[in-house]
Amino acid sequence: MIVILKENPNPGQLQDLTAWLKSQGVEIHTSHGQRQMILGLVGDTSRLDMDLISALDIVDEVKRVQDPYKAANRKFHPEDTVVELANGVKIGGGHFALIAGPCSVESEEQICSVALAVKAAGANILRGGAFKPRTSPYSFQGMRERGIQLLLEAKRQSGLPVVTEIMDAAQLPLFEEVDIIQVGARNMQNFELLHALGHIRKPILLKRGLANTYQELLMSAEHIMSGGNSQVMLCERGIRTFETYTRNTLDLTAIPVLHKLSHLPVVIDPSHASGRSWLVPTMGISAAATGADGLIIEVHNDPEHAWCDGPQSITPAVFQEMVPRVHAVRQALELEKEEGRA
Amino acid sequence: MIVILKENPNPGQLQDLTAWLKSQGVEIHTSHGQRQMILGLVGDTSRLDMDLISALDIVDEVKRVQDPYKAANRKFHPEDTVVELANGVKIGGGHFALIAGPCSVESEEQICSVALAVKAAGANILRGGAFKPRTSPYSFQGMRERGIQLLLEAKRQSGLPVVTEIMDAAQLPLFEEVDIIQVGARNMQNFELLHALGHIRKPILLKRGLANTYQELLMSAEHIMSGGNSQVMLCERGIRTFETYTRNTLDLTAIPVLHKLSHLPVVIDPSHASGRSWLVPTMGISAAATGADGLIIEVHNDPEHAWCDGPQSITPAVFQEMVPRVHAVRQALELEKEEGRA
Amino acid sequence: MIVILKENPNPGQLQDLTAWLKSQGVEIHTSHGQRQMILGLVGDTSRLDMDLISALDIVDEVKRVQDPYKAANRKFHPEDTVVELANGVKIGGGHFALIAGPCSVESEEQICSVALAVKAAGANILRGGAFKPRTSPYSFQGMRERGIQLLLEAKRQSGLPVVTEIMDAAQLPLFEEVDIIQVGARNMQNFELLHALGHIRKPILLKRGLANTYQELLMSAEHIMSGGNSQVMLCERGIRTFETYTRNTLDLTAIPVLHKLSHLPVVIDPSHASGRSWLVPTMGISAAATGADGLIIEVHNDPEHAWCDGPQSITPAVFQEMVPRVHAVRQALELEKEEGRA
Amino acid sequence: MIVILKENPNPGQLQDLTAWLKSQGVEIHTSHGQRQMILGLVGDTSRLDMDLISALDIVDEVKRVQDPYKAANRKFHPEDTVVELANGVKIGGGHFALIAGPCSVESEEQICSVALAVKAAGANILRGGAFKPRTSPYSFQGMRERGIQLLLEAKRQSGLPVVTEIMDAAQLPLFEEVDIIQVGARNMQNFELLHALGHIRKPILLKRGLANTYQELLMSAEHIMSGGNSQVMLCERGIRTFETYTRNTLDLTAIPVLHKLSHLPVVIDPSHASGRSWLVPTMGISAAATGADGLIIEVHNDPEHAWCDGPQSITPAVFQEMVPRVHAVRQALELEKEEGRA
C-alpha cells in the first residue's frame, strides 16, 4: 500500500500516523518527492482500512498495490477451478458448459419438451427461471415454487442437471435438488444473499451487474468464497452502455481478463446481452472463440408466445445449427479438452 | 401503445395479431406509412406484454405512450405526498427533512453524542448504519442488531426519529421502532425485499441505483406501493459516470424531473455522491436550491477515525455552518413552508 | 413519423399543425387513444425537422419510424460495399483487411523494417501515425509532414498500401499518395473535416467515438457520403465504460449490427480497445470469428521503446503467431472468400 | 511519479531502467514491498513518458503523483482568472456572466430583437450560433459567414459583446470582431483547432465533451494555454449518462471541483444539458447557487419556430423571470461581488 501525503504535512499528525502504522505490524519506507512525501507500507496490509487512512487530514491519496481479493485470485490458486456436477458434467479447465433452456418455466409440457430438444442439440445443462426479477410489478414474476418443481421434473425426464435463479436467501430450501444456483445481475451486490450462498456447498453462477467492474464482480465472488463455498462461476451477460440498439453490450474482453485475474470459470450469456434473438448465435460463437468456459442460451420452442424475454430467445432449430459452429471454432483454436467428458 | 410492423408483414400472422389484440379488449387504429404499417392500440393496454408483442415475427417495434407506473405517477395523484413521522416531522409538500448522522453506528457514546450535536445544529432526523453493504467481505460489515439497539437509544436520548438501512427482509423484525427504513442503492432492484416492504406500513427511503434511470427508480417505488405502502421517499445519491475525481456524480436534475413525474418526496444525499467531505456543504446547498424535499448528510464527531466512509463525513461544526445557508437559499427562492412545522 | 400529442390539445394549434404538415406534402393518419391523440405522417418525412415539431406546445413526443441515414443504409443498398485500393487489395464482401504497423512513425529505419515484417507475417495494409492526437500538449504529437513522407517510403519499399490519420482538412494536400485516410475517434463528429473528406475520392476509415452509438457512427459516415465519397469503412476501437482494467471496452456486437444496418465494411481495432498487448491476439481472433471485415493492429519492432502507445503494441513475432489463428477461425466459420484476392 | 514493478523483475532490465531514469535527471527512492518493489521518482518528471515506462516488461503500473496540467492548475496560479472583454464585462473572481441568445442566428430581425430583449432582462453577453454542428447532414447547418455578420449587427445595435462557435481553424478570419470564441463539446479534443486558438489573444469558451472527465477538460484547456492564450473559460453543458429523460445530465459538482483544481472561470449551460425548456430556469438557478461564474442560456423569441434546438429554448419572458432569482440566490449565499461591474 502506498500513502501519498499532502504537501507540508503537520509533523505531529505525521508522527501519529507512522506510530499507528507500525503498531499494526507494517514497515514503512519513506520517499521524499519534490513536493510530496510518499510512504510505502510493507507487510500484511489487508487489514488496514484504506478509507480510514484516506480520511486523515495529512493524506492526499492511498493506493493499493495488491489485489483486494484472495480466494478468487489466480496468484494464490494458479490452476483453473473445475466445477463438477453430480452427474459428471464439468465446467472450466477446458471443459465446456452448454447451458440452454427457456427464460421462464411456463408448464410441464413446455420445460420438458425444451429440455429434450436442447439435449438432443448438444446442451449439457438445462436452464429455466422460476423466480423472475422484473422491472414492473405488473409483469409475470415467475411460477416460483411450482416452477422449481417443474424444472426438476424436466431434470428427471432429460437427465440434464439444472440451473435456476434465487432471489432471496429464504428461498434456499426449495433449491435442494437444483444443481447450480444462479445469482442475477441485479443481486450481484446483495451481500446478505451472497453470504448465505457462501455457507452452502453447491455451485453458484454469479452474474455481473449491469454497471459493475471486473474487480467488483470478483469481490462479490469473494463474498461467497469467504464463507467456504469455492464452486463459483462468473457470468458476463452484457453491461449497460449508451448503445440502445441492443439491450446491453456484451463485453467479451471479460473472458481473457477474468481468466488472468482469477481461476474461476467464465460463462457468457449472449441472450440477455443482446436482447435480440438473431444476434445470439453470432455472439455465442464469438464468446466460444474468445475462450469462454461455457454459454448460457435462452431457447424456447415458441418464442413468439414466451411469457417473458421472447425477443431474445432462439428456437431449438436455431440452437441446433449453432452448436456445431461453437465446437468448430473451439477445435480450430484448440480450446477443446480431450474427448470423453460428459 | 403503438405497434410498428415490419415491411410486408405476413397477412396470416397480421390477422392472428389483430384478432388476439381485439380479444384483449383493445381497439386498433391502423395507419399505412410509405413503407411500414402502424397499429395504434386504444383501451387498457397496461396488461399487454410489450415483450411478447415485440417478439412477433412481423413486429418491428413497440412503443408505450403511457407511463408504466401508476401508484407513483403524479398524473393520477396530483398533490404532493407528505410523509409524516410518529413525532410530527413531515417531509414533502414544502416540509424539509434535514437528516444527519454517522455512516455507521460505532458505540453508544458515539451515536448519542452525534445525535445531540446534529439536533442542536438543526437536524430533524437521525441517520446511522447498522447493516452495512461493503464491497469487500473483509471490511467492517456494521454492528447489525446491536447497532439498531444503539441507534434506538440515541433516538430516546435526542428525541429525533431515525432512519437506517435494511439489507434483507429477514431483518424486518429488528426495525419495529425504526421510523424510516432505507433501501440502499445496490438493493434498488432487490424485488423480494421491495415486496416485503410493500406489505408493512412504515416510510421507506428508496435510494436510486448507481446506473439506474428515473423510470427504473419509479418502477422500484411502484413495486413497494403496489403492495399497499404509499409512504415512499425517493433518494438521489449520485450515479456512476466516467468521472473518477468524485465517488459518483450527483444528478440534481433528478429533483425537478421526479417532482414532475411523481408526487413522492425527493431527498438528496451529497455525502455518498461526492465521497469528499469538502464538497458536501456546497452540494447540499445546491440541492436545496434545486427544490429537494430533504438532505441526508453524513456527520461524524471524529471523521478521521470513523469505521467507514470517513472521507465523506463532515464534522458537527461544519454541519452547523451549513444549515443556515440551506435555509437562506430556500428562503431566497420562497421554498419554505409557513413556520410552525416540526 | 409519429407525432404523439399532449392531452386535450388546443384546437386552433392542432389545425395549424395539420395544415402545415399537409403543405409539406405529408399525409396524416389520426388515431384517438384513450388519453392521447396520435398522428401518423406518411410520405417523404426526411425534410421535416423533428426538433421543430417536438417544440410545439401541443406535442408530447415525436418518433421517427425510418432510419435517418440513407447513403449508408443497407435497405437502399443491399449488397456489401467492397473497398478496392489502387494495388488491388479489397476490403468487405468477404475480403479481409489485415492492417498492421506502429502507432507512430518514428524513423525511416523503424517504419520500413516494421512494414517488411508485418508483410512477411501476412498483413496486406500498413498503418503508421504521423499526426497524433494526444491528451497532453507536452506529449509527442507525431512527426507530422515528415512522418507521412517516411510512411510513403515504407509503402514504396514494401509494396503495401498505407493508412494514416488526418486531424484537420488543411492537411489534405499531404495525403495525396496515402491509400486510406483515417478519422480518429475524437474527430468522429468533427463535421467540417467529414465534409472535406466527402469531397475527395479516397477510402476513409472512420473510427467510432468513445461514447457514440451505432446510429451516430452511421450519421457521421452519412456526412462523408452525402458529399459523394462512398468509400467509407467503419471502425470499432473500444468504447468508454466503467471498466478501468482495460483502456476501453471492445464492442464486438457492433460487427453484426453494423452489417445489418449498413453495407459498409467493419474493421476492428483491438489494440486501442484493450490498451494491453497481451489481449490483442485473443481479441483480434475473436473479432474475426464475429465476422469483421478487417483488423487494424499495432505492431512495433521494439514496443518497450515506442514513442507512444507502447503498452498496446505487439511484436512482429506475436503478430506472426496470431495471423494463422485469425485465418483458422475464418475458415472454420466459412467466412473466407475464394482464394486469389490480393 | 511512482513505478510499481512486477514480482521478481529481471535484474538486467531493472539496472537498465534505473540507469536510464538517472540519465533523465531523476532521483530514485526504492521501497521493497512483500511481493513487489516500488520506485519513487523525484525531480522534474513532467518530461518522462508514462506510457513508455508502463510498456516495459518489468513494470506493473506507473502512477503520477502530480497533476499533468500546469498552466490551468490553481497550485501554480492561486488567484482566480478574471476574463475581461473589450467593453468592460468581466467573468470570474466574483463577476458573473449572463449569456443569452438563440441557438442559431436566423435573420437580422430575429437576432437583433432577441439581443435587445435579453439585454433588457439583464443579460450582459449575447450568444448566437452561425456554424452549427449537427448530427445529420440533412439538418440546417447554420447561416455560417452570413450568421456571423448578423450577430455582429446585433452587437452594434445592442452594445452586448458576443460569443459564437467555431468549427475549424480555417474559419478564424471571420471571428475578428467576435468577443468570445466557443469550442463545442464535440470539438473538445480537436487538438489542431485548440492549438490554433492558443495562438490568438481572445477569450475562449471551452465546452466539456459528453463523456470527458474534469482532467481531460483541463488538459484541453492546457492545449490552448500552452500556446500562450490564457483567457480560457470552462463550460459544463451536461454529460452523457444512461438517463434518457433529459438530453444529457448536468454535472454541477464540476463547479466546486474545477474551481479547486483550476483558476479558470466556470460557466454552466443548462439549456443543452437538459434539452427541455421547462428545466432551464430551475437548473440555471441551481448552478448559480453552486458558485458558477456564469450561465449560458438559449433564449428565442419564438421557440416553436426556431430552426434548431427549439425544445430547449426559453422565451425572453421566462428569462426575465429567471434573472432575479439567479441574483437572489447569489445574494443569499454572498457570492455577489460589490456593485459597479459591467
Side-chain angles (χ1 to χ4, degrees):
Chain A
M1 195 181 277
I2 296 168
V3 179
I4 302 167
L5 300 180
K6 287 184 186 154
E7 292 180 40
N8 309 316
N10 175 296
Q13 289 181 297
L14 178 55
Q15 206 176 329
D16 285 357
L17 173 59
T18 55
W20 177 76
L21 286 171
K22 281 175 188 160
S23 77
Q24 303 290 311
V26 170
E27 213 180 312
I28 305 173
H29 295 255
T30 308
S31 297
H32 290 271
Q34 222 172 12
R35 305 178 63 99
Q36 288 179 294
M37 200 169 135
I38 295 161
L39 309 181
L41 308 189
V42 180
D44 180 7
T45 59
S46 69
R47 278 152 215 280
L48 293 182
D49 190 328
M50 275 180 75
D51 286 339
L52 194 153
I53 301 173
S54 295
L56 296 175
D57 234 26
I58 57 170
V59 171
D60 193 24
E61 213 175 345
V62 179
K63 291 173 193 290
R64 225 178 237 296
V65 175
Q66 284 162 13
D67 301 324
Y69 46 93
K70 295 177 192 308
N73 198 327
R74 192 178 281 273
K75 279 186 195 153
F76 309 118
H77 186 303
E79 307 77 34
D80 287 343
T81 281
V82 178
V83 169
E84 187 162 358
L85 305 184
N87 62 349
V89 173
K90 291 177 187 169
I91 308 159
H95 302 277
F96 196 74
L98 207 40
I99 310 171
C103 171
S104 293
V105 176
E106 296 170 21
S107 69
E108 181 176 332
E109 197 279 329
Q110 171 248 13
I111 186 67
C112 293
S113 68
V114 174
L116 294 170
V118 298
K119 187 184 184 186
N124 54 7
I125 303 175
L126 175 67
R127 60 151 291 154
F131 294 96
K132 303 297 304 173
R134 302 298 304 272
T135 306
S136 169
Y138 309 119
S139 299
F140 172 57
Q141 314 281 314
M143 293 184 79
R144 303 177 67 91
E145 180 159 1
R146 178 74 185 136
I148 303 262
Q149 291 164 355
L150 297 181
L151 184 66
L152 295 175
E153 178 57 32
K155 174 183 175 175
R156 276 184 289 275
Q157 292 190 19
S158 67
L160 290 176
V162 295
V163 55
T164 193
E165 179 168 351
I166 195 167
M167 286 176 66
D168 192 291
Q171 297 159 351
L172 261 177
L174 300 172
F175 284 70
E176 275 294 314
E177 293 173 66
V178 167
D179 298 277
I180 303 173
I181 301 180
Q182 176 179 314
V183 177
R186 294 186 185 82
N187 276 320
M188 190 196 94
Q189 294 193 318
N190 179 343
F191 299 119
E192 296 292 313
L193 177 57
L194 299 182
H195 293 167
L197 297 176
H199 291 106
I200 62 170
R201 294 294 172 270
K202 207 183 261 296
I204 308 298
L205 184 70
L206 177 65
K207 290 199 157 186
R208 180 184 183 187
L210 275 89
N212 288 107
T213 63
Y214 303 148
Q215 182 167 307
E216 287 168 341
L217 174 58
L218 291 170
M219 290 308 294
S220 286
E222 194 83 11
H223 269 278
I224 299 171
M225 297 173 87
S226 66
N229 185 355
S230 59
Q231 303 280 292
V232 178
M233 291 173 278
L234 306 170
C235 181
E236 156 65 24
R237 41 79 73 215
I239 53 173
R240 193 164 264 196
T241 68
F242 302 135
E243 185 53 60
T244 54
Y245 184 89
T246 47
R247 183 164 164 168
N248 294 118
T249 296
L250 189 62
D251 172 15
L252 292 179
T253 311
I255 302 168
V257 173
L258 291 173
H259 277 164
K260 186 181 189 81
L261 301 178
S262 176
H263 48 87
L264 299 174
V266 178
V267 173
I268 299 295
D269 176 349
S271 304
H272 281 87
S274 61
R276 292 180 179 244
S277 60
W278 69 269
L279 281 167
V280 171
T282 302
M283 297 316 298
I285 290 160
S286 180
T290 318
D293 298 296
L295 296 176
I296 179 163
I297 308 274
E298 286 195 8
V299 178
H300 196 284
N301 50 350
D302 185 9
E304 299 210 4
H305 293 94
W307 287 4
C308 76
D309 284 337
Q312 71 199 32
S313 291
I314 59 176
T315 59
V318 171
F319 181 67
Q320 200 163 2
E321 280 169 34
M322 171 192 173
V323 172
R325 291 170 71 78
V326 165
H327 291 302
V329 291
R330 282 178 53 78
Q331 276 157 9
L333 296 169
E334 295 171 1
L335 299 167
E336 289 286 343
K337 198 84 176 178
E338 69 289 342
E339 295 306 309
R341 63 194 172 81
Chain B
M1 196 181 278
I2 296 168
V3 179
I4 302 166
L5 299 179
K6 288 185 185 150
E7 292 179 42
N8 308 316
N10 176 297
Q13 288 181 298
L14 178 55
Q15 205 175 330
D16 285 357
L17 173 59
T18 53
W20 177 75
L21 286 171
K22 280 175 189 160
S23 78
Q24 302 292 311
V26 170
E27 212 180 312
I28 305 173
H29 294 255
T30 308
S31 299
H32 291 271
Q34 221 172 12
R35 305 177 64 98
Q36 288 178 293
M37 201 169 134
I38 295 161
L39 310 181
L41 309 188
V42 179
D44 180 8
T45 61
S46 69
R47 277 152 216 280
L48 293 181
D49 191 328
M50 275 181 75
D51 286 339
L52 195 152
I53 300 173
S54 296
L56 296 174
D57 235 24
I58 57 169
V59 171
D60 192 26
E61 212 176 345
V62 180
K63 292 173 193 289
R64 226 177 236 296
V65 175
Q66 283 162 16
D67 302 324
Y69 45 94
K70 296 177 191 308
N73 199 327
R74 190 177 283 274
K75 278 187 196 152
F76 308 117
H77 185 305
E79 309 77 33
D80 289 343
T81 281
V82 179
V83 169
E84 186 163 359
L85 305 183
N87 62 350
V89 173
K90 292 178 185 168
I91 308 159
H95 302 278
F96 196 74
L98 206 42
I99 310 172
C103 171
S104 293
V105 176
E106 296 170 20
S107 70
E108 182 176 333
E109 197 277 330
Q110 173 246 14
I111 186 66
C112 292
S113 69
V114 174
L116 295 171
V118 298
K119 185 183 185 186
N124 52 8
I125 302 175
L126 175 68
R127 60 151 291 156
F131 294 95
K132 302 297 304 175
R134 301 299 302 272
T135 306
S136 169
Y138 310 119
S139 298
F140 172 57
Q141 312 283 314
M143 294 184 78
R144 303 178 67 91
E145 180 159 1
R146 177 73 185 134
I148 303 261
Q149 290 164 355
L150 296 182
L151 184 65
L152 294 175
E153 177 58 32
K155 174 182 175 175
R156 277 185 287 276
Q157 290 190 20
S158 67
L160 290 176
V162 295
V163 56
T164 193
E165 180 168 350
I166 196 167
M167 286 176 65
D168 192 289
Q171 296 158 354
L172 261 177
L174 301 171
F175 285 70
E176 276 292 316
E177 292 173 67
V178 167
D179 299 277
I180 303 172
I181 301 180
Q182 177 179 313
V183 176
R186 293 184 186 83
N187 277 320
M188 189 197 93
Q189 294 191 319
N190 179 342
F191 299 119
E192 296 293 312
L193 177 57
L194 300 182
H195 294 167
L197 297 177
H199 291 106
I200 61 170
R201 295 293 173 270
K202 207 184 262 295
I204 307 297
L205 183 71
L206 176 65
K207 290 197 157 187
R208 180 184 182 187
L210 274 88
N212 290 106
T213 62
Y214 303 148
Q215 182 168 306
E216 287 169 340
L217 174 59
L218 291 170
M219 289 309 291
S220 285
E222 194 81 12
H223 270 277
I224 299 171
M225 296 173 87
S226 67
N229 185 357
S230 59
Q231 302 280 293
V232 178
M233 291 172 278
L234 307 169
C235 182
E236 153 67 25
R237 43 76 75 213
I239 53 173
R240 193 164 265 197
T241 69
F242 302 135
E243 185 54 60
T244 55
Y245 184 89
T246 46
R247 183 165 166 168
N248 295 118
T249 295
L250 189 62
D251 172 15
L252 291 179
T253 311
I255 302 168
V257 173
L258 291 173
H259 277 164
K260 186 180 189 80
L261 301 178
S262 175
H263 48 88
L264 299 174
V266 179
V267 172
I268 298 295
D269 177 348
S271 304
H272 281 86
S274 61
R276 293 181 178 243
S277 59
W278 69 269
L279 281 167
V280 171
T282 302
M283 297 316 297
I285 290 160
S286 180
T290 317
D293 298 297
L295 296 175
I296 178 164
I297 308 274
E298 285 195 7
V299 178
H300 196 284
N301 49 350
D302 185 9
E304 299 209 2
H305 293 92
W307 286 5
C308 77
D309 284 337
Q312 71 200 30
S313 291
I314 59 175
T315 60
V318 170
F319 181 67
Q320 199 163 7
E321 280 169 33
M322 171 193 175
V323 173
R325 291 170 71 79
V326 166
H327 290 303
V329 290
R330 284 179 51 78
Q331 275 159 9
L333 296 169
E334 294 171 1
L335 299 167
E336 291 285 344
K337 198 83 176 179
E338 69 289 342
E339 295 306 308
R341 63 192 171 84
Chain C
M1 195 180 275
I2 296 168
V3 178
I4 303 166
L5 300 179
K6 287 184 185 154
E7 293 180 40
N8 308 317
N10 176 296
Q13 289 180 297
L14 178 54
Q15 205 175 329
D16 286 356
L17 172 61
T18 54
W20 177 77
L21 287 170
K22 280 174 188 160
S23 76
Q24 303 292 311
V26 169
E27 214 181 308
I28 305 173
H29 295 254
T30 308
S31 298
H32 291 271
Q34 222 172 12
R35 306 176 64 98
Q36 288 177 291
M37 201 169 135
I38 295 162
L39 310 181
L41 308 189
V42 179
D44 180 7
T45 59
S46 69
R47 278 153 215 280
L48 292 182
D49 191 328
M50 276 181 74
D51 287 338
L52 195 152
I53 300 173
S54 295
L56 297 174
D57 233 27
I58 57 169
V59 171
D60 194 24
E61 214 175 345
V62 179
K63 292 173 194 286
R64 226 177 236 297
V65 175
Q66 284 161 15
D67 302 323
Y69 45 95
K70 294 178 191 307
N73 199 328
R74 190 178 282 273
K75 278 185 196 154
F76 308 116
H77 186 304
E79 309 77 33
D80 288 343
T81 281
V82 179
V83 169
E84 186 162 0
L85 305 183
N87 63 350
V89 173
K90 292 177 185 168
I91 308 158
H95 302 278
F96 195 74
L98 207 42
I99 310 171
C103 172
S104 293
V105 176
E106 297 169 21
S107 69
E108 182 176 331
E109 198 279 328
Q110 173 247 14
I111 186 68
C112 292
S113 69
V114 174
L116 295 170
V118 299
K119 187 185 185 185
N124 52 6
I125 303 176
L126 175 68
R127 59 151 291 154
F131 294 96
K132 303 295 304 173
R134 301 297 303 273
T135 307
S136 169
Y138 310 120
S139 299
F140 172 57
Q141 313 282 312
M143 293 184 80
R144 304 177 66 92
E145 181 160 1
R146 177 75 186 134
I148 302 262
Q149 291 165 354
L150 297 182
L151 184 65
L152 294 175
E153 177 56 33
K155 174 182 176 177
R156 277 185 287 276
Q157 292 190 19
S158 67
L160 290 176
V162 296
V163 56
T164 193
E165 179 167 352
I166 195 168
M167 286 176 67
D168 192 290
Q171 296 159 354
L172 261 177
L174 301 171
F175 285 70
E176 275 295 314
E177 293 173 65
V178 167
D179 299 276
I180 302 173
I181 301 180
Q182 175 179 312
V183 176
R186 293 185 186 84
N187 276 320
M188 189 195 94
Q189 294 192 318
N190 179 343
F191 300 119
E192 296 293 312
L193 177 57
L194 301 181
H195 292 166
L197 297 175
H199 292 104
I200 62 171
R201 293 295 172 269
K202 208 184 259 297
I204 308 297
L205 183 71
L206 176 64
K207 291 198 155 185
R208 179 183 183 187
L210 276 87
N212 289 108
T213 62
Y214 303 148
Q215 181 168 307
E216 286 168 340
L217 174 59
L218 291 169
M219 290 309 292
S220 285
E222 194 83 11
H223 270 276
I224 299 170
M225 298 174 87
S226 66
N229 184 355
S230 60
Q231 303 279 292
V232 178
M233 292 172 278
L234 307 170
C235 181
E236 155 65 25
R237 41 77 74 215
I239 53 172
R240 193 164 263 195
T241 68
F242 303 134
E243 184 54 59
T244 55
Y245 184 88
T246 46
R247 183 164 162 169
N248 294 119
T249 295
L250 189 62
D251 172 16
L252 292 178
T253 311
I255 302 168
V257 174
L258 291 173
H259 278 164
K260 186 181 190 81
L261 301 178
S262 176
H263 49 88
L264 299 174
V266 178
V267 172
I268 299 294
D269 176 349
S271 304
H272 281 88
S274 61
R276 293 180 179 244
S277 60
W278 69 268
L279 281 167
V280 171
T282 302
M283 298 316 297
I285 291 159
S286 180
T290 317
D293 298 296
L295 296 176
I296 179 164
I297 309 275
E298 286 196 7
V299 178
H300 196 284
N301 50 350
D302 184 10
E304 299 209 4
H305 293 93
W307 287 5
C308 76
D309 284 337
Q312 71 199 30
S313 291
I314 59 176
T315 59
V318 171
F319 181 66
Q320 199 164 3
E321 281 170 33
M322 171 192 174
V323 173
R325 291 171 71 78
V326 166
H327 290 302
V329 291
R330 281 177 53 79
Q331 275 157 10
L333 296 169
E334 295 171 2
L335 299 167
E336 291 285 343
K337 197 84 177 177
E338 71 288 342
E339 294 308 308
R341 63 191 171 84
Chain D
M1 195 181 276
I2 295 168
V3 179
I4 302 166
L5 300 179
K6 286 184 186 153
E7 293 180 40
N8 309 318
N10 175 295
Q13 289 181 298
L14 179 54
Q15 207 176 329
D16 286 356
L17 172 60
T18 54
W20 177 76
L21 287 171
K22 280 174 189 160
S23 77
Q24 302 292 311
V26 168
E27 213 181 310
I28 305 173
H29 294 254
T30 308
S31 297
H32 290 271
Q34 222 172 12
R35 307 177 63 98
Q36 287 176 294
M37 200 168 134
I38 294 160
L39 310 180
L41 309 189
V42 179
D44 180 6
T45 60
S46 69
R47 276 153 215 281
L48 293 181
D49 191 328
M50 276 182 72
D51 286 338
L52 194 153
I53 300 173
S54 295
L56 297 174
D57 234 27
I58 58 171
V59 170
D60 194 25
E61 210 175 349
V62 180
K63 291 171 193 289
R64 228 178 235 296
V65 175
Q66 284 161 14
D67 302 323
Y69 45 94
K70 294 177 192 309
N73 199 326
R74 191 177 281 275
K75 278 186 194 153
F76 308 117
H77 186 303
E79 308 77 34
D80 288 344
T81 281
V82 179
V83 169
E84 187 163 357
L85 305 184
N87 63 351
V89 172
K90 292 177 186 169
I91 308 159
H95 302 279
F96 196 73
L98 208 42
I99 309 171
C103 172
S104 294
V105 176
E106 296 170 21
S107 69
E108 182 176 331
E109 198 278 328
Q110 172 246 15
I111 187 66
C112 292
S113 69
V114 174
L116 295 171
V118 299
K119 186 183 184 186
N124 52 7
I125 303 175
L126 175 68
R127 62 150 291 154
F131 295 95
K132 302 298 303 176
R134 300 297 303 271
T135 305
S136 168
Y138 311 119
S139 298
F140 171 57
Q141 315 280 314
M143 293 183 79
R144 303 178 66 92
E145 181 160 1
R146 177 74 185 135
I148 303 261
Q149 290 164 356
L150 297 182
L151 184 65
L152 294 175
E153 177 58 31
K155 174 182 174 175
R156 277 185 287 276
Q157 290 190 20
S158 67
L160 290 176
V162 296
V163 55
T164 193
E165 179 168 352
I166 195 167
M167 285 177 67
D168 193 289
Q171 296 157 352
L172 261 177
L174 301 172
F175 285 70
E176 276 294 314
E177 292 174 67
V178 167
D179 299 277
I180 303 172
I181 300 179
Q182 177 179 313
V183 176
R186 294 184 186 83
N187 276 320
M188 189 196 94
Q189 294 192 319
N190 178 343
F191 299 120
E192 296 293 311
L193 178 57
L194 300 182
H195 293 167
L197 297 177
H199 292 104
I200 61 169
R201 295 293 172 271
K202 207 185 260 297
I204 308 299
L205 184 70
L206 177 65
K207 289 197 158 186
R208 179 185 183 185
L210 275 88
N212 289 108
T213 62
Y214 303 148
Q215 183 169 305
E216 286 168 340
L217 174 59
L218 291 170
M219 290 309 291
S220 285
E222 194 81 11
H223 271 277
I224 300 171
M225 297 173 88
S226 66
N229 185 356
S230 60
Q231 303 279 292
V232 178
M233 291 172 278
L234 308 169
C235 180
E236 154 67 24
R237 43 76 77 216
I239 53 173
R240 193 164 264 195
T241 68
F242 302 135
E243 184 54 60
T244 55
Y245 184 88
T246 46
R247 183 165 166 170
N248 295 118
T249 295
L250 189 62
D251 172 16
L252 291 179
T253 311
I255 302 168
V257 173
L258 291 173
H259 277 165
K260 186 181 190 81
L261 300 178
S262 175
H263 49 87
L264 300 173
V266 179
V267 172
I268 299 295
D269 177 348
S271 303
H272 282 87
S274 61
R276 293 181 178 244
S277 61
W278 68 269
L279 281 167
V280 172
T282 301
M283 297 317 296
I285 291 161
S286 181
T290 317
D293 297 298
L295 296 175
I296 178 164
I297 309 274
E298 284 195 9
V299 178
H300 196 284
N301 50 349
D302 185 10
E304 300 210 4
H305 293 94
W307 286 6
C308 77
D309 284 337
Q312 70 200 30
S313 291
I314 59 175
T315 58
V318 171
F319 181 68
Q320 197 163 7
E321 279 169 34
M322 172 193 174
V323 173
R325 291 170 71 78
V326 166
H327 291 302
V329 290
R330 283 178 53 79
Q331 276 158 10
L333 296 169
E334 295 170 3
L335 300 167
E336 290 285 343
K337 198 83 175 180
E338 70 288 344
E339 294 306 308
R341 64 191 172 84

